[in-house]
Amino acid sequence: MTMSSSTASSQAQSPARGPLTRSQRLDRLPFTRKHGKLLGASGIGWALDAMDVGLISFVIAALSVHWELSKADGSLIASAGFAGMAIGASVGGLLADRIGRRSVFALTLLVYGLATGASALAMGVGALIVLRFIVGLGLGAELPVASTLMSEFAPARIRGRVIVWLEAFWALGWILAAVIGTFVAASGPTGWRWALAVGLVPAAYSLVIRWGTPESVRFLEKQGRTEEAERVVRSFEESAGIDAPGSAEHGADAAPGATGEVEPRVAADEVGAIPAADQVDATAGIWSKPLRARTAGLWAVWFCINLSYYGAFIWIPTLLVDRGFDLTRSFTFTLIITLAQIPGYAAAAWLIEVLGRRWTLTVFLAGSAVAATCYGLADTEWTIIAAGCALSFFNLGAWGALYAIGPELYPTRVRGTGTGAAAAFGRIASMAAPFLVPVFLVAGGQVFVFAAFSLFFALGAAAAFTLPEQRGKALAE
């Protein structure tokens, strides 16, 4: 958002103006090449996370053939990872508020990358369970931390859309997992080992995150690292073609900020162009009275979507094998179904700034409920694929909206804690889901399984509608 000299001069004569904070300066920028670089770097980490989560569903299906793995042992392997994710999400969010978003992001990649690579050497179910738990610690911490980091840099007017773009990398990672599963894991008795060996890539990528991405400006300011925060903001302004503060681009009468550096001044009506966030005491905890209702609603959505999503997608390859499809055909169907995630994210990215966060999340969760019912009733190849694609479309669009709305609900001091705690609570459901599927199968077959998932999607839609709408508002300080 480059200001002309004439605009700056007119603002210099306006009596109603004040210095912008660094956060406001970031909020008013257009989406620049530097934003794109940060989105790409964070997105690749996100995709690698999805690849790892997706791979285990194909590994479990392969081991059910090559090791004659029981559903109980498959459930243990899957749930061990989700147990680690529950702890990782909670601890990762706390650490992100204390040592920084970037540092925790890099650490999570290193942890789960090394553990996934080590899983390729596992000689028994016990070793896989232990290693999957360690993998989960890293996976669970990464997602809420990465979304928090990106939220704190994204321009306010398109912040929701940017976070959905970030979440869309999940589809790329899951598609990559499906490709690796189809052509590597299904290639023979040791194919699953080579598939897991690919999981070492995130460990190397952690160096890119640590040394190639900026730390959150809001976090730096809370830590008193104002000079570093100023350098980061100026680098984004320069990427947008805005000169250093004090130049004509910012107005001739720019005044020193609290830390001594020069900060831009703008007219009061421009300051009001971006609505302020709901006023919440910056020292409030996530369960304090001002935040209690939104925390409860967010936790409910996280629980419902985790139970249904992971219950369905972790077991879909194995359930297809149970229906009589061979391993290769089962994995191919899963790959086709996974491709529908991409248009789901695209639709959510557009709607989130049109309908808003709350309505987008509610609509996509309701669509997921309908699609889950249809999948449970599907009994031919084409209906399985069609209903599966609909489930992918709506469910992953809902995930995109959920990750967008979470960080917007909390002030900076507890933003990582709030998003991490919600994710951790959701992981309790993802831990339970692999065990519930075999129980539901015995109770009523696949129709009953997906009817249960449909019910939880519907409950999640109801909880989503209770969340406050934050479209276009600045993040709370």
Side-chain angles (χ1 to χ4, degrees), residues 167-185:
E167 167 66 7
F169 280 87
W170 183 270
L172 300 180
W174 201 280
I175 290 168
L176 183 57
V179 170
I180 295 170
T182 302
F183 297 105
V184 181

Side-chain angles (χ1 to χ4, degrees), residues 5 30 41 51 103 124 138-139 197 289 294 317 362 377 382 426 437:
S5 297
M51 181 190 75
S103 298
L139 292 175
K289 188 174 181 180
R294 63 185 65 182
T362 301
L377 296 172
W382 78 266
V437 170

Side-chain angles (χ1 to χ4, degrees), residues 337-389:
I337 289 171
T338 303
L339 290 172
Q341 295 180 9
I342 296 176
Y345 282 125
W350 177 67
L351 288 172
I352 203 163
E353 301 296 358
V354 176
L355 295 180
R357 283 80 161 120
R358 180 174 58 188
W359 269 108
T360 300
L361 181 56
T362 301
V363 167
F364 274 82
L365 283 171
S368 298
V370 174
T373 299
C374 293
Y375 189 87
L377 296 172
D379 57 2
T380 63
E381 288 189 10
W382 78 266
T383 56
I384 288 171
I385 292 174
C389 286

Side-chain angles (χ1 to χ4, degrees), residues 89-90 93-94 97-98 280-299 406-407 409-425:
S90 181
L94 289 168
D97 285 335
R98 285 162 175 74
V280 176
D281 183 355
T283 63
I286 64 172
W287 286 105
S288 62
K289 188 174 181 180
L291 299 176
R292 188 180 304 153
R294 63 185 65 182
T295 295
L298 185 64
W299 281 33
L409 300 178
Y410 299 101
T412 298
R413 191 183 66 85
V414 294
R415 185 167 295 124
T417 301
T419 54
F425 185 72

Side-chain angles (χ1 to χ4, degrees), residues 5-82:
S5 297
S6 60
T7 302
S9 298
S10 66
Q11 289 185 356
Q13 298 169 8
S14 173
R17 56 182 179 267
L20 290 178
T21 66
R22 295 183 185 88
S23 296
Q24 289 172 330
R25 287 158 63 188
L26 286 174
D27 275 343
R28 281 157 178 72
L29 292 176
F31 189 84
T32 68
R33 187 173 182 178
K34 197 165 182 68
H35 287 105
K37 183 179 178 181
L38 178 59
L39 177 62
S42 301
I44 290 172
W46 202 281
L48 292 172
D49 192 322
M51 181 190 75
D52 200 293
V53 174
L55 272 177
I56 199 61
S57 66
F58 295 95
V59 168
I60 290 172
L63 291 178
S64 70
V65 174
H66 301 305
W67 281 9
E68 298 184 353
L69 189 75
S70 68
K71 282 186 171 58
D73 284 340
S75 297
L76 283 171
I77 292 170
S79 288
F82 293 130

Side-chain angles (χ1 to χ4, degrees), residues 448-466:
F448 185 81
V449 170
F450 284 91
F453 294 155
S454 177
L455 173 62
F456 277 97
F457 278 133
L459 291 173
F465 200 69
T466 69

